[in-house]
Amino acid sequence: MARPRGYSGADSSKEPHAVSLKVRLSRPSLSNQYPLPAANTKISRKASLSYPSDSTDDKFILSPNLTLPPSFGSAYVGETFACTLSANNELPEDETSRVVTSVRIVAEMQTPSQVASLDLEPANDPAQTEGLQRGQSLQKIVRFDLKEEGNHILAVSISYTETLIGSDAQAASGRVRTFRKLYQFVAQPCLSVRTKSSELAPLEVENKALGPYGKTRLLRFALEAQLENVGDGTVVVKVCGWGILLKISFLTARQQTKLNPKPPFRAVSLNWDLERPDKVDSQPPTLNPRDVLQVAFLVEQEEGQQEGLEALQKDLRRDGRAVLGQLSIEWRGAVGDKGFLTTGNLLTRRRS
């Protein structure tokens, strides 16, 4: 699980800042509650609930309320990291000699391979950038697609103008103050994908261009994919019948995932969703953390497909291997968080 670390940038002035920075994840989680046993009659059962209410099911561990996490928690490759940056005016109510204006927030993400500037979305009234009253806050939302594993650092810089007010209620002097904070977290994989391919006997079809006895050999391969849930949440997997279409989601979300076969190939699922005359709707399998699911697909060369045929023949002559395509996987979290993962090119075994 990822753990945050916060660092404060050095400031030339030792005087406390009039503006503070708070960072909160935009992604909430369901709040848990632990009801008392029904046999306990001396204490009200509502006493143990997180948010007692007449409409609350006190026998269910999840309450209808959402809770913001105190830290970054787990961040997964393929998901969109999102958090709220809040610059707060910390001047006391009885402070009349100073005002805060021109508050500005700048953020960047440092990944293992690059440093990217981040676009900030306003989370409240943009007019507050001109002046931040006592007790008010300027909030921005930052989003970043996580594409690499490893340490990530969210760097946030705050700048503002602190104006001193004279005895005549006029601005006497002003200064620009800045500070910078760094927040570190680790992006880790949510789904591990391992694949294996096997070549099958080719399918022979008639080729009229070669005469009445002409035959064309169409290549066929069996592709197996092993999916392992290496995240912290439960995963529901569904494989659709046309092409290689996987639907992977947390809990009950249903998001389409597919393998984009490279021409001249097409792909068909060989799993529990294989179309049959007596087909009935079946529940997709559930992957708890560390569970593994094995799925298989038939990849065939399309008859009469010329696109990609020349490249396929060159690959087989040069390396003895063929490129089948790429597997793309989409999922959603328990509260609707989207995730996306694409594998590299899936290759067949080298011919001996």
Side-chain angles (χ1 to χ4, degrees):
M1 180 179 293
R3 290 290 184 267
R5 291 196 300 173
Y7 306 87
S8 296
D11 189 80
S12 57
S13 175
K14 300 301 181 180
E15 182 182 349
H17 279 279
V19 174
S20 66
L21 172 65
K22 303 294 183 182
V23 178
R24 284 279 190 178
L25 279 183
S26 299
R27 178 175 59 190
S29 59
L30 293 173
S31 177
N32 292 339
Q33 60 184 5
Y34 302 95
L36 291 172
N40 192 333
T41 58
K42 296 183 179 180
I43 303 177
S44 172
R45 299 182 64 181
K46 291 184 179 181
S48 63
L49 302 182
S50 300
Y51 301 93
S53 171
D54 293 335
S55 59
T56 299
D57 184 358
D58 57 4
K59 298 180 180 179
F60 192 51
I61 192 172
L62 294 178
S63 73
N65 299 83
L66 297 178
T67 302
L68 286 175
S71 62
F72 284 168
S74 298
Y76 296 114
V77 175
E79 291 187 348
T80 299
F81 172 84
C83 68
T84 301
L85 310 178
S86 178
N88 311 296
N89 187 338
E90 299 290 355
L91 291 176
E93 290 294 335
D94 56 355
E95 177 67 69
T96 59
S97 61
R98 291 183 295 167
V99 295
V100 171
T101 58
S102 302
V103 181
R104 186 167 179 260
I105 305 176
V106 178
E108 64 182 20
M109 185 69 75
Q110 301 174 16
T111 72
S113 65
Q114 65 174 339
V115 177
S117 298
L118 302 177
D119 295 328
L120 303 182
E121 306 172 15
N124 57 2
D125 188 2
Q128 289 187 354
T129 57
E130 295 299 325
L132 202 59
Q133 303 299 320
R134 295 174 182 81
Q136 290 186 339
S137 64
L138 172 66
Q139 298 183 8
K140 300 287 186 179
I141 296 177
V142 59
R143 304 182 193 276
F144 182 78
D145 293 334
L146 300 175
K147 300 178 181 179
E148 300 178 74
E149 295 183 32
N151 290 333
H152 287 61
I153 298 177
L154 173 65
V156 185
S157 299
I158 301 292
S159 65
Y160 62 96
T161 299
E162 186 179 76
T163 304
L164 299 180
I165 305 299
S167 57
D168 57 353
Q170 300 296 322
S173 63
R175 59 176 175 172
V176 177
R177 303 193 66 186
T178 63
F179 65 91
R180 177 181 173 91
K181 287 189 175 182
L182 308 180
Y183 300 88
Q184 179 175 299
F185 63 95
V186 178
Q188 56 189 352
C190 174
L191 194 70
S192 174
V193 182
R194 291 180 288 272
T195 60
K196 181 181 70 174
S197 64
S198 304
E199 186 170 1
L200 305 176
L203 179 65
E204 294 187 351
V205 297
E206 295 184 2
N207 189 334
K208 297 181 180 179
L210 300 178
Y213 301 103
K215 298 287 185 180
T216 297
R217 295 163 62 90
L218 301 179
L219 299 178
R220 299 193 306 160
F221 299 91
L223 177 66
E224 299 174 71
Q226 189 179 74
L227 311 179
E228 181 179 0
N229 180 8
V230 294
D232 298 327
T234 302
V235 177
V236 176
V237 183
K238 183 174 182 181
V239 181
C240 300
W242 174 248
I244 296 184
L245 297 177
L246 297 180
K247 286 189 178 179
I248 298 179
S249 59
F250 287 88
L251 301 181
T252 58
R254 301 290 182 89
Q255 287 299 308
Q256 177 173 297
T257 303
K258 62 182 179 180
L259 171 76
N260 301 316
K262 183 177 180 179
F265 291 114
R266 68 184 183 93
V268 178
S269 170
L270 300 177
N271 301 288
W272 57 90
D273 62 329
L274 186 64
E275 294 187 4
R276 300 173 302 179
D278 58 342
K279 178 182 176 182
V280 295
D281 293 335
S282 58
Q283 293 297 324
T286 299
L287 289 182
N288 292 313
R290 313 311 304 181
D291 282 355
V292 176
L293 175 67
Q294 191 84 14
V295 294
F297 309 92
L298 175 64
V299 184
E300 300 177 300
Q301 180 182 346
E302 287 191 89
E303 182 179 359
Q305 175 64 269
Q306 296 300 315
E307 181 183 358
L309 181 59
E310 183 178 354
L312 171 62
Q313 294 172 345
K314 288 182 179 179
D315 291 341
L316 291 176
R317 287 195 299 266
R318 183 179 64 251
D319 302 325
R321 308 177 75 179
V323 179
L324 301 180
Q326 292 182 319
L327 181 63
S328 297
I329 303 172
E330 296 180 10
W331 68 86
R332 280 186 178 268
V335 289
D337 309 309
K338 293 183 179 180
F340 182 82
L341 174 66
T342 301
T343 67
N345 286 329
L346 303 179
L347 303 175
T348 62
R349 289 185 176 181
R350 192 183 306 274
R351 289 178 170 178
S352 56

